[in-house]
Amino acid sequence: MNTPQTITSIIKTCLIGLLFCSVSFAQNDSIPSNKKLKDSSKQLEKYGLRVGGDASKLLRSFLDDDYKGFEVNGDFRFTKKWYLAGEFGVEEKTTTTDYIDVTATGTYIKLGADYNAYENWYGMNNLLYGGFRVAFSNFSHDLNSFGVYSQNQYWAPQFSSSESKKLSGLNAVWAEFIVGLKVEVLTNLFLGVNAQFKYIITQSEPDNFENIYIPGYNKTYDSGSFGFGYGYNISYLIPIFKKAK
């Protein structure tokens, strides 16, 4: 037969058990599950339009009396790794040699895509990329002066002319492969550098001499189809939406 003390002990034990269970359930409710933690820790990456310009062309315009130019560029991220990209620019370059003084003036546009090979850590948006462009330039030449080379340098007089002549309606199309780096130095502000390898597909040339400089393509090399270029970019990212990484 149970005594009052025994009954009291049983009641106390039950109350302690109920209190322990209540605390345990409360703790379980206050601590999120692994699924909740996983959902709340998803990494969101920025997608948007990045616009900027080529600082090297502006700097060269101040330092080189024979050059004036600027370029605006941009890219738009449409997948995790791929970006639509393009550039538009205006250039004027005077080239002077022993036999010719000519000024090339024109505009160019480049369209293509870039692939980001860099795997960013959480919160980073840097790019180590490679890409391609199809480029078109429309330009003209101002022939300031020229001389005609003669094989008989001793006896024959060297013909030269300083009569200015404008040759317009010229154009060129080329393919361009680009490698570069863009680093986010402040929130949404990027500094970058790139190198370009170019191959002429087609070009129109003035009579009696070849294109020496093509806006956007840069200097041509002795009738060759290959060219090179570089750029230093400053750009700003305009975030449009975010996606989970």
Side-chain angles (χ1 to χ4, degrees), residues 38-51:
K38 184 177 180 181
D39 292 341
S40 64
S41 63
K42 283 183 178 178
Q43 300 180 17
L44 296 178
E45 294 185 325
K46 299 176 183 177
Y47 285 69
L49 177 66
R50 184 179 7 241
V51 293

Side-chain angles (χ1 to χ4, degrees), residues 5 9-10 18 27 47 53 55 70-71 75 106 130 138 142 145 147 152-153 168 170 188 199 208-209 220 231-232 242:
Q5 290 183 349
S9 298
I10 293 173
L18 289 173
Q27 287 179 342
Y47 285 69
F70 73 90
E71 177 185 285
D75 64 54
N138 186 33
D142 288 319
S145 64
N152 190 343
Q153 295 288 322
S168 58
L170 305 174
N188 297 331
Y199 179 78
N208 300 323
F209 73 94
T220 59
Y232 296 96
K242 294 182 179 181

Side-chain angles (χ1 to χ4, degrees), residues 4-241:
Q5 290 183 349
T6 303
I7 295 173
T8 301
S9 298
I10 293 173
I11 293 173
K12 285 182 178 180
T13 302
C14 292
L15 290 174
I16 292 173
L18 289 173
L19 179 62
F20 179 79
C21 292
S22 298
V23 172
S24 298
F25 282 121
Q27 287 179 342
N28 288 335
D29 290 339
S30 64
I31 298 176
S33 65
N34 290 336
K35 184 178 184 300
K36 290 182 180 180
L37 282 173
K38 184 177 180 181
D39 292 341
S40 64
S41 63
K42 283 183 178 178
Q43 300 180 17
L44 296 178
E45 294 185 325
K46 299 176 183 177
Y47 285 69
L49 177 66
R50 184 179 7 241
V51 293
D54 190 334
S56 66
K57 295 187 185 298
L58 294 178
L59 182 61
R60 186 180 176 187
S61 297
F62 283 105
L63 299 179
D64 188 349
D65 294 334
D66 293 329
Y67 178 86
K68 293 182 178 63
F70 73 90
E71 177 185 285
V72 293
N73 50 57
D75 64 54
F76 180 81
R77 184 181 187 183
F78 67 97
T79 72
K80 180 181 178 180
K81 292 292 187 178
W82 282 99
Y83 297 73
L84 294 174
E87 295 84 24
F88 172 81
V90 177
E91 286 189 312
E92 178 184 300
K93 175 69 170 69
T94 298
T95 302
T96 303
T97 68
D98 292 337
Y99 298 100
I100 195 170
D101 185 316
V102 62
T103 301
T105 306
T107 61
Y108 63 89
I109 186 170
K110 306 176 184 179
L111 297 174
D114 294 331
Y115 178 82
N116 183 20
Y118 185 74
E119 190 66 35
N120 283 292
W121 292 358
Y122 179 70
M124 297 173 61
N125 297 292
N126 302 325
L127 284 82
L128 178 62
Y129 65 94
F132 66 91
R133 305 284 189 274
V134 176
F136 174 81
S137 178
N138 186 33
F139 59 99
S140 63
H141 285 317
D142 288 319
L143 185 58
N144 304 315
S145 64
F146 67 94
V148 178
Y149 175 76
S150 174
Q151 292 181 339
N152 190 343
Q153 295 288 322
Y154 186 76
W155 297 107
Q158 304 303 302
F159 175 79
S160 63
S161 174
S162 58
E163 180 182 357
S164 180
K165 185 177 182 181
K166 189 174 186 68
L167 305 166
S168 58
L170 305 174
N171 57 73
V173 178
W174 68 93
E176 187 170 297
F177 300 93
I178 182 171
V179 292
L181 174 71
K182 292 180 183 179
V183 178
E184 187 175 23
V185 293
L186 295 173
T187 302
N188 297 331
L189 181 65
F190 292 78
L191 296 181
V193 60
N194 64 73
Q196 309 141 21
F197 174 76
K198 310 163 190 280
Y199 179 78
I200 283 282
I201 299 174
T202 181
Q203 62 176 315
S204 57
E205 295 181 329
D207 295 333
N208 300 323
F209 73 94
E210 299 174 344
N211 292 319
I212 298 175
Y213 190 94
I214 299 174
Y217 181 86
N218 298 335
K219 179 181 178 182
T220 59
Y221 292 89
D222 298 329
S223 303
S225 298
F226 297 98
F228 303 92
Y230 65 91
Y232 296 96
N233 302 315
I234 301 175
S235 56
Y236 185 81
L237 174 65
I238 304 172
I240 299 176
F241 59 92

